[in-house]
Amino acid sequence: QVQLVQSGAEVRKPGASMKVSCRASGYTFTDYYIHWVRQIPGQGLQWLGWINPYKGDTKYAQNFQGWVTLTRDTSISTAYMELSRLKSEDTAVYYCARITRDSSFDCWGQGTLLTVSS
Amino acid sequence: QSALTQPASVSGSPGQSITISCTGTSSDLGSYDLVSWYQQHPGKAPELMIYEGTKRPSGVSNRFSGSKSGNTASLTISGLQAEDEADYYCCSYAGGSTWVFGGGTKLTVL
C-alpha cells in the first residue's frame, strides 16, 4: 500500500540544523510531488513547501524561504527536509505528504517531532 | 499568505449534523475548486476526507460532504458519531504553486 515513513523524533539546540527523511513506498516516487507541513503543539497546520521528486525543483512558502531546504534521493525513494538556524519556536511535528493531481494530500507520513531546547 | 478562517470549535450531539466553514479570499479559495478537508485525531497524522470541494475518497463515510460558495467552503457531517470527534482542517490551492491551510476546528461530540 502507499506509505510514507518518516525518520524519528529529534532534539536540537538553538542554532543547530536538522534533517528529516520521508521514505515512500507502494507507488512510483517520481510520479507525485511531496509536500511538507508543520504543526506547532496545540496549533494548526502550516504549509512549508514542496519538492518535485522527478526534476528536483522546489517551492517554499514565503515565510519559510531561506530556512527550509527540500531535497530528494530518487535511488531510495526518499525526500528530505532540512531546517537551519533552529529556534525554540520551531518545536513542532513536521509531516511529509503526497499530493495528487486534484491538489489534495492523500497520504501522510506519521510525523516527526522536533524539539528545540537548550 | 494568511491562513483560511475556520471556527475554533463546533459541537453537536450524536445523530445530529454539524457544518464547519472555511473562509478564504478571492485570491485563494475563491479562485479555485481545489479545497480539501482533513480529519486529525490527537497524536495522529491528518486524513483526507474531502477533495475538490465536494468529492469523497474511497473509504470515507458518506456522512461527510463538502460544498463551496464564493470564498467559503463548508464541511458537513451528518449523523454525528463519537468517533467523529477530532480536529478538522480545510486546505486550498492558493495560486503560484502554493497552498494554505485553515486554522482548524475542534469538533466535540456531546
Side-chain angles (χ1 to χ4, degrees):
Chain A
Q1 75 280 21
V2 174
Q3 205 172 1
L4 297 174
V5 177
Q6 298 182 223
S7 47
E10 302 271 11
V11 179
R12 292 286 186 274
K13 294 188 183 303
S17 310
M18 190 270 295
K19 195 171 188 177
V20 180
S21 67
C22 171
R23 178 171 51 85
S25 61
Y27 73 98
T28 302
F29 178 60
T30 50
D31 282 352
Y32 295 85
Y33 287 30
I34 293 291
H35 289 235
W36 291 85
V37 176
R38 176 171 89 167
Q39 186 167 38
I40 293 171
Q43 296 188 23
L45 304 172
Q46 287 179 288
W47 180 77
L48 299 180
W50 56 255
I51 184 166
N52 173 359
Y54 181 67
K55 291 184 177 179
D57 51 312
T58 57
K59 177 76 173 184
Y60 302 102
Q62 194 170 11
N63 290 347
F64 299 100
Q65 244 167 354
W67 177 69
V68 176
T69 302
L70 303 180
T71 57
R72 92 292 189 215
D73 183 340
T74 57
S75 69
I76 53 172
S77 300
T78 300
Y80 300 94
M81 177 187 66
E82 183 166 16
L83 307 174
S84 59
R85 305 184 306 277
L86 292 169
K87 304 174 185 176
S88 59
E89 49 264 44
D90 297 324
T91 293
V93 175
Y94 292 83
Y95 292 100
C96 61
R98 183 183 88 157
I99 194 165
T100 64
R101 280 151 183 76
D102 53 56
S103 288
S104 63
F105 303 108
D106 70 333
C107 180
W108 294 67
Q110 82 277 22
T112 297
L113 174 62
L114 166 65
T115 302
V116 182
S117 174
S118 55
Chain B
Q1 185 69 52
S2 299
L4 306 174
T5 300
Q6 297 182 233
S9 64
V10 297
S11 63
S13 299
Q16 288 186 330
S17 295
I18 62 96
T19 296
I20 299 171
S21 62
C22 170
T23 302
T25 69
S26 57
S27 298
D28 43 55
L29 192 151
S31 289
Y32 309 96
D33 290 328
L34 295 173
V35 177
S36 50
W37 288 89
Y38 302 86
Q39 177 191 66
Q40 185 181 36
H41 286 109
K44 300 293 187 183
E47 180 183 349
L48 177 64
M49 307 303 285
I50 296 287
Y51 66 98
E52 287 185 335
T54 62
K55 300 177 181 177
R56 272 189 317 275
S58 169
V60 172
S61 170
N62 59 9
R63 298 185 298 104
F64 291 83
S65 62
S67 64
K68 180 194 159 189
S69 178
N71 297 340
T72 299
S74 299
L75 172 71
T76 298
I77 308 173
S78 58
L80 269 181
Q81 299 179 1
E83 68 212 47
D84 299 331
E85 186 163 294
D87 294 327
Y88 291 84
Y89 294 90
C90 58
C91 180
S92 175
Y93 178 66
S97 298
T98 67
W99 276 256
V100 63
F101 283 94
T105 298
K106 181 177 180 59
L107 169 61
T108 301
V109 180
L110 302 170

